[in-house]
Amino acid sequence: MKKITVVGAGYVGLVTAICFADLGNDVVCIEKDDSKLNQLSRGILTFYEPGIPELLQKNLGTGKVRFTNSMSEGVAFGDVIFLCVGTPERGDGSADLSQIENASREIASSITSYRLIVEKSTVPVNTHQRVKRTIQRYAGHDVPCEVASNPEFLREGSALEDFMHPDRIIIGVESQRGKALFQEIYQDFSCPIIYTDPATAELVKHASNSFLAMKISYINMIADLCEKVGADISIVADGVGFDKRIGRSFLNPGIGWGGSCFGKDVKAFIEIAEEYGVHFGLLQETLKQNYERRKSFVRKIEDILWVNNDKVIAIWGLSFKPDTDDIRDAPSIEIVRELLKNGAQLQLFDPVAMDNFRILFPESDKVHYLGDKYDACQGADTLVILTEWKEFQSIDWPRLKKSLNLPVIVDGRNLFKPEYVRGEGFEYYSVGRK
Ligand code: UDX
């Protein structure tokens, strides 16, 4: 078991720190934000993620993980240092690497003996070279360190499962010494582990996320076509997805992808490819199609309601996907904004994301937050479903019908079989189906 330092207690950093600790390693996690540090040290998680709060408390209790704001303490502690700081989007779509640069500079001022520094944050290809150069430059002498890439593929809502049982582990490392450290860290994992050079590993992450985003955008376009020609997207997705070369997952049509990764990563990938002279029109179209989709979904609702002004619309689901309170780049934001612009009155419900949403859309005469899915439907002219939370899939249909003013459902996530819902006496509109 190793001594591991994790830099950054954001989503990726915290999950990484806690899971490595739970696997038996000794982990120090560095967090600069005092209030976050304070909460984490007391075992309080700063975001919603199933399974993680319990694991945090357990490993704080056993002393396997602890939190600090001191980089020098972290650098002195870990044989391996995972960089898990944010790489947000800049105005031009490229990745803002200032947190990576800052961490590299801080490491430079504390490092005295060999450390394996590992990028886990999603970074553009060849960032490892810059990290290494920055450390050497700011240390002012030849520092015995190595920079490797070990990208994360965690999905929000299932991060614990994804960490403990990944499809694959990608490791870009140059020396035998670095490789041996990774072999120890990942010795209990039975999935394929691919060892390569750091640039290739960095590229795998952007290539994976961009492909997934493209796959969803592709099926969404087919869904649009299905609606026009009267075909059924569920069957098309099955028919296409059973081909092992394609696969069925990430072929669920809907209101488009969102979240903190896909948009940011696709844009950064386009930018870095352009920088190296490769024009990624395919991904530009993926982005365009995805963001237009939110508007076209609003047009669909308005077409169904005819006149939007003063209509009461119930909305189920605000998070960008189920099992998270994350609303970053959630389609719900633009859909709510557009519906409000056009005069609708909204009754919103989400099992965990309402507090975050309230910051963007405070309670007002047009925006109401309700504590229960049926309450949200009380007196509404239609129910719009934006996130496929499990609890939206089991419905007391007579109760729902009684709550709504009109039995109309616009389902952006295809939760139900159309004939069934219609059998319950509802007008039902979904995506890519008759
Ligand atoms: C993604 C990647 O899956 C993960 O590997 C990476 O580390 C981080 O980015 P995440 O953003 O948590 O994970 O969610 P994901 O499950 O990939 O879903 C992203 C978006 O795509 C969501 O808005 C989801 O609703 C949408 N989606 C997903 C679809 O619209 N259809 C699908 O079939 C699958």
Side-chain angles (χ1 to χ4, degrees):
M1 291 301 139
K2 301 307 306 172
K3 283 179 167 175
I4 292 176
T5 294
V6 174
V7 183
Y11 188 83
V12 172
L14 193 59
V15 172
T16 301
I18 297 171
C19 289
F20 274 141
D22 204 58
L23 289 167
N25 301 287
D26 291 303
V27 180
V28 162
C29 184
I30 302 169
E31 175 53 53
K32 296 282 178 192
D33 179 319
D34 280 343
S35 86
K36 210 167 170 186
L37 180 68
N38 198 298
Q39 280 181 300
L40 290 170
S41 301
R42 289 187 290 134
I44 301 166
L45 200 68
T46 45
F47 52 83
Y48 178 89
E49 180 63 39
I52 297 295
E54 297 79 0
L55 228 56
L56 170 63
Q57 293 193 352
K58 177 182 157 201
N59 287 285
L60 272 176
T62 55
K64 282 290 186 190
V65 69
R66 65 189 165 83
F67 296 90
T68 176
N69 59 9
S70 161
M71 181 65 97
S72 55
E73 188 185 333
V75 173
F77 178 82
D79 306 307
V80 186
I81 301 171
F82 282 91
L83 295 181
C84 299
V85 293
T87 52
E89 186 183 324
R90 285 203 301 208
D92 63 357
S94 65
D96 175 354
L97 299 175
S98 52
Q99 293 181 49
I100 295 269
E101 199 240 12
N102 203 39
S104 310
R105 280 163 44 181
E106 284 195 45
I107 289 171
S109 61
S110 318
I111 194 165
T112 51
S113 56
Y114 176 85
R115 292 289 180 270
L116 177 64
I117 293 154
V118 186
E119 303 163 341
K120 224 178 206 329
S121 316
T122 304
V123 291
V125 61
N126 281 333
T127 299
H128 70 281
Q129 292 174 353
R130 289 189 178 273
V131 171
K132 176 115 193 222
R133 203 181 313 148
T134 304
I135 294 174
Q136 300 291 5
R137 187 183 284 160
Y138 280 85
H141 55 95
D142 199 22
V143 167
C145 77
E146 173 170 12
V147 181
S149 164
N150 171 214
E152 56 81 21
F153 300 98
L154 308 176
R155 286 166 303 171
E156 293 188 25
S158 55
L160 179 55
E161 173 66 18
D162 288 349
F163 190 96
M164 296 299 192
H165 305 285
D167 289 345
R168 79 308 204 182
I169 293 169
I170 308 292
I171 294 167
V173 64
E174 265 149 359
S175 76
Q176 276 309 317
R177 183 175 186 177
K179 187 173 176 186
L181 282 168
F182 277 115
Q183 280 167 334
E184 234 183 293
I185 290 174
Y186 287 117
Q187 63 186 346
D188 293 332
F189 287 74
S190 55
C191 64
I193 300 184
I194 298 178
Y195 285 96
T196 179
D197 58 86
T200 306
E202 289 167 333
L203 206 76
V204 169
K205 176 61 201 263
H206 266 153
S208 300
N209 266 6
S210 298
F211 185 82
L212 290 171
M214 198 173 66
K215 198 172 175 189
I216 301 167
S217 290
Y218 180 78
I219 204 68
N220 280 333
M221 290 226 72
I222 309 274
D224 289 348
L225 187 59
C226 283
E227 273 181 38
K228 302 266 188 245
V229 302
D232 186 331
I233 189 64
S234 322
I235 312 284
V236 175
D238 286 346
V240 170
F242 273 121
D243 184 328
K244 287 199 188 71
R245 295 169 301 175
I246 298 173
R248 178 62 179 80
S249 67
F250 277 66
L251 284 182
N252 297 321
I255 51 177
W257 42 262
S260 67
C261 290
F262 279 2
K264 165 179 92 77
D265 290 353
V266 171
K267 285 179 208 159
F269 202 28
I270 293 172
E271 284 301 314
I272 194 77
E274 269 324 320
E275 226 173 86
Y276 284 92
V278 175
H279 177 65
F280 234 139
L282 195 62
L283 290 181
Q284 282 173 336
E285 195 56 34
T286 297
L287 276 179
K288 185 165 161 260
Q289 194 266 357
N290 188 64
Y291 290 112
E292 279 173 359
R293 190 151 198 85
R294 299 170 180 187
K295 290 200 172 64
S296 66
F297 188 69
V298 172
R299 283 198 297 276
K300 181 174 183 166
I301 298 168
E302 291 178 346
D303 190 41
I304 292 161
L305 287 176
W306 193 21
V307 176
N308 198 30
N309 198 23
D310 281 336
K311 289 272 164 54
V312 178
I313 299 176
I315 294 188
W316 283 2
L318 302 170
S319 56
F320 82 99
K321 62 182 276 191
D323 297 321
T324 178
D325 62 352
D326 199 343
I327 58 162
R328 284 176 289 174
D329 201 19
S332 60
I333 296 173
E334 187 159 1
I335 292 169
V336 160
R337 192 173 288 137
E338 287 295 308
L339 290 172
L340 286 174
K341 207 161 48 179
N342 300 340
Q345 187 179 318
L346 305 180
Q347 300 183 167
L348 311 175
F349 174 71
D350 186 285
V352 300
M354 289 199 290
D355 285 346
N356 284 339
F357 213 74
R358 238 186 231 112
I359 298 168
L360 293 182
F361 298 95
E363 180 98 24
S364 69
D365 55 337
K366 291 284 192 188
V367 180
H368 304 283
Y369 291 88
L370 283 304
D372 168 84
K373 63 184 177 194
Y374 298 106
D375 290 348
C377 293
Q378 206 58 50
D381 298 300
T382 187
L383 163 63
V384 172
I385 302 174
L386 299 184
T387 317
E388 66 277 34
W389 282 92
K390 212 176 201 147
E391 73 162 90
F392 300 157
Q393 290 167 42
S394 53
I395 306 284
D396 177 344
W397 292 100
R399 186 170 169 201
L400 180 62
K401 200 163 174 198
K402 235 165 94 192
S403 306
L404 285 163
N405 182 31
L406 298 171
V408 179
I409 299 176
V410 188
D411 179 358
R413 298 290 186 173
N414 286 2
L415 293 191
F416 310 109
K417 289 212 177 317
E419 55 281 15
Y420 182 84
V421 184
R422 286 179 193 134
E424 292 288 337
F426 288 80
E427 243 181 85
Y428 180 62
Y429 304 88
S430 55
V431 181
R433 302 185 297 182
K434 273 181 245 172

